[in-house]
Amino acid sequence: MNKASSLFWPALVTPKNAIVKQTEQLSRSQKLLTELGLVKPGCNGTYQIMPIAQRAVDKCINLVQRNMQEAGGQKISMPVLTPTQLWKKTGRLEGDISEFYMVRDRSGKQFLMSPTHEEAVTAMLATTAPISYRQLPLRLYQIGPKFRDELKSRFGLMRAKEFLMKDMYTFDVTKEAAEKTYARISNTYAQFFRQLEVPFVTVEAATGIMGGSLSHEYHYISPVGEDTLLKCNNCGYAGNVEVFGNTSANTCPSCQGSQLIPVRGVEVAHTFLLGDKYSKPLGATFLNTSGKPETLVMGCYGIGITRVIAAALEVLSTEQELRWPKLLAPYDVCLIGPKQGSKEQVPAEGVEIELLQQLTQICGAEELLHDDRKELTIGKRLFDAKRLGHPLTIVVGTKAVQKEEPKLELHLSGAEKLELELPEVLSLVTAHVRHKQQLLQESATNEQDIAQLRTQGRTLS
Ligand SMILES: [Zn+2]
């Protein structure tokens, strides 16, 4: 079980009247994460993730992996360093590379600290003995740090110089097969975002530096978003303003209506149908049914793990309290017992111990945070618990030991406090655990095919 007394949890204590020098623009979730000691700023534009927040990161990684495996993904790890030579071959070094970190080894050889791995993965396949059409489709993914030399890092984890990404690269025999894969992974993405229960928008996107023929972005709507999206009030179409180019941004490309409303979005995931943009110049082929080599057809699919967490918090939280997607909350339940030396201490501790055992049965010791800092008042610990945004916080106070109808306090994230008897509290904890299980069992419904994806950015939630 997790004990608050031994948690490394370096909350910021700002002395009264201190002048805080703000070096970076903070969003409200970032402000809370920093003040609460969940995240510590490293040097300019980088972040150190502390134990409580790391739990959310690990949960997000696990959820993404679960979805990737379900969609036929196989996990790999590619080196962070990619020889710039490879990027010359695909022509990408000639684009805008001002945001890329480049390093040289002692012999002078130049490397990119990869912001993305299309070249590296494709070159790896090109130097493998030709694979057979029987081994396709191939869906390889990794989860690791990515680097971008942001001119202006902002909003903490939302736009940091180093961040955690899941990137998947898919290989198919034909354009049609690659389109099927694109639809399959797109549906998996929609499923993942539904599991997080944060309203999201799928938009038609520009292919930009990645190239390819079809691309979608997944956005959370927030005033701190850096993209402008146009949403159609009539048919639900949504597009990144970039895709409108020079054409009129007043007309909906889907229904030709004129009710396009601009909103700000935070991009949290991106998908591309790449075709042979990388496989052709790098010579990545497979052997077709008659044993002849043919060029592989590719797609790539990214999810910004740390950005999803930061942006979800930004959308859900208030100025005072964090609010987590249920599947990402660091703990399910926080339990606060009586203060040391209070008159109810001894009998209330009996209730506390009983509760600890029962809660462990229901949600597992790992999901339980016992705030055992008994030297602190209940009020102080409850204040922390509410700011941390635990889905359920249970308080064992004076009313827990009263003779008539003993009651526990239950605080649900974002709701008024409830005074309930023990069995009612346990049944609400059980309901929470069951709800999480249902979210995990969610499977892609209303699956979209490529034709739908091609003509529509869609608003989903
Ligand atoms: Zn429309």
Side-chain angles (χ1 to χ4, degrees):
M1 187 184 324
N2 306 283
K3 290 183 183 301
S5 60
S6 52
L7 254 181
F8 181 58
W9 179 9
L12 277 188
V13 183
T14 314
K16 275 188 184 143
N17 307 324
I19 298 162
V20 181
K21 199 177 140 221
Q22 202 66 270
T23 52
E24 191 204 330
Q25 199 180 346
L26 289 180
S27 59
R28 64 179 172 202
S29 62
Q30 189 55 33
K31 196 164 164 284
L32 281 168
L33 284 172
T34 319
E35 285 175 4
L36 287 167
L38 270 54
V39 156
K40 268 179 85 67
C43 70
N44 178 26
T46 62
Y47 284 88
Q48 305 167 113
I49 296 171
M50 299 295 107
I52 298 176
Q54 186 63 45
R55 293 177 60 91
V57 173
D58 289 342
K59 286 186 176 188
C60 193
I61 290 173
N62 289 339
L63 185 61
V64 167
Q65 292 202 144
R66 187 187 164 101
N67 280 294
M68 290 301 108
Q69 296 287 342
E70 227 179 84
Q74 301 180 54
K75 193 175 185 188
I76 59 169
S77 294
M78 299 296 292
V80 165
L81 298 178
T82 302
T84 45
Q85 200 63 30
L86 275 181
W87 281 55
K88 270 193 193 122
K89 284 191 189 163
T90 57
R92 275 215 281 192
L93 266 197
E94 284 140 41
D96 178 10
I97 53 166
S98 54
E99 288 189 339
F100 299 161
Y101 284 102
M102 307 263 199
V103 291
R104 281 182 195 281
D105 68 10
R106 64 185 79 196
S107 73
K109 195 166 185 228
Q110 200 179 33
F111 298 86
L112 273 163
M113 290 175 69
S114 283
T116 177
H117 279 84
E118 286 74 19
E119 281 84 353
V121 171
T122 312
M124 183 267 289
L125 278 183
T127 55
T128 307
I131 54 174
S132 155
Y133 69 94
R134 289 190 198 89
Q135 291 167 272
L136 300 170
L138 187 58
R139 296 164 183 169
L140 303 175
Y141 76 95
Q142 63 172 350
I143 294 175
K146 295 276 188 276
F147 302 87
R148 191 157 48 204
D149 187 4
E150 296 279 358
L151 190 58
K152 255 189 179 171
S153 301
R154 272 185 290 190
F155 310 132
L157 290 177
M158 242 182 288
R159 202 157 189 92
K161 290 185 177 175
E162 179 177 342
F163 47 96
L164 196 60
M165 281 266 300
K166 184 284 298 178
D167 40 337
M168 178 184 252
Y169 305 90
T170 62
F171 302 88
D172 278 282
V173 290
T174 58
K175 187 167 160 280
E176 291 68 33
E179 288 178 347
K180 276 206 176 114
T181 293
Y182 188 85
R184 175 78 175 90
I185 308 299
S186 297
N187 287 315
T188 297
Y189 271 36
Q191 168 178 305
F192 167 71
F193 285 110
R194 282 195 302 270
Q195 287 172 328
L196 294 182
E197 300 184 290
V198 179
F200 68 100
V201 181
T202 311
V203 305
E204 188 183 356
T207 50
I209 185 176
M210 303 292 262
S213 59
L214 185 61
S215 173
H216 291 89
E217 292 167 349
Y218 296 75
H219 283 263
Y220 284 157
I221 304 300
S222 163
V224 303
E226 299 197 320
D227 285 281
T228 301
L229 315 176
L230 293 172
K231 280 177 72 178
C232 175
N233 268 0
N234 188 36
C235 72
Y237 168 90
N240 193 311
V241 75
E242 292 170 9
V243 299
F244 288 82
N246 296 325
T247 62
S248 160
N250 302 320
T251 310
C252 171
S254 181
C255 74
Q256 269 67 51
S258 58
Q259 298 184 46
L260 290 176
I261 310 295
V263 290
R264 306 293 287 173
V266 182
E267 182 193 331
V268 282
H270 207 152
T271 57
F272 297 88
L273 192 55
L274 295 169
D276 61 5
K277 180 180 153 86
Y278 299 91
S279 45
K280 205 169 181 182
L282 295 170
T285 58
F286 68 98
L287 298 180
N288 66 16
T289 47
S290 34
K292 299 236 165 63
E294 265 184 63
T295 302
L296 286 159
V297 189
M298 291 176 61
C300 72
Y301 308 83
I303 294 178
I305 305 259
T306 35
R307 192 187 276 193
V308 162
I309 298 168
L313 287 172
E314 187 64 24
V315 171
L316 299 175
S317 303
T318 67
E319 297 287 339
Q320 284 81 35
E321 295 175 9
L322 289 174
R323 304 263 161 82
W324 301 85
K326 290 190 183 68
L327 290 179
L328 303 189
Y331 310 93
D332 285 346
V333 184
C334 173
L335 179 65
I336 299 173
K339 182 177 186 291
Q340 192 111 53
S342 60
K343 60 180 188 305
E344 72 274 16
Q345 185 189 353
V346 174
E349 274 176 352
V351 179
E352 188 183 7
I353 289 162
E354 189 191 338
L355 250 176
L356 279 173
Q357 285 167 351
Q358 287 176 309
L359 289 170
T360 305
Q361 296 279 317
I362 297 170
C363 63
E366 258 312 291
E367 290 300 328
L368 186 55
L369 176 65
H370 183 205
D371 196 339
D372 60 342
R373 298 174 298 165
K374 289 183 175 289
E375 71 284 5
L376 299 179
T377 62
I378 285 179
K380 166 72 181 112
R381 285 177 285 162
L382 183 59
F383 179 75
D384 283 344
K386 293 186 94 162
R387 299 237 299 162
L388 285 171
H390 306 298
L392 301 128
T393 300
I394 303 167
V395 176
V396 185
T398 30
K399 287 190 179 167
V401 292
Q402 65 196 8
K403 288 232 164 54
E404 308 237 317
E405 297 182 359
K407 294 275 170 73
L408 300 168
E409 266 181 38
L410 178 67
H411 298 259
L412 298 169
S413 173
E416 292 291 309
K417 102 174 158 188
L418 301 167
E419 291 192 341
L420 302 170
E421 289 175 22
L422 189 132
E424 298 171 300
V425 168
L426 294 180
S427 77
L428 283 172
V429 176
T430 307
H432 178 79
V433 172
R434 198 166 295 152
H435 180 77
K436 280 178 56 181
Q437 284 162 353
Q438 281 161 357
L439 287 174
L440 288 177
Q441 278 148 20
E442 159 122 25
S443 60
T445 48
N446 302 322
E447 293 219 2
Q448 297 193 91
D449 61 19
I450 192 71
Q452 286 168 294
L453 286 164
R454 201 178 280 290
T455 54
Q456 281 185 331
R458 288 196 318 155
T459 302
L460 299 166
S461 55

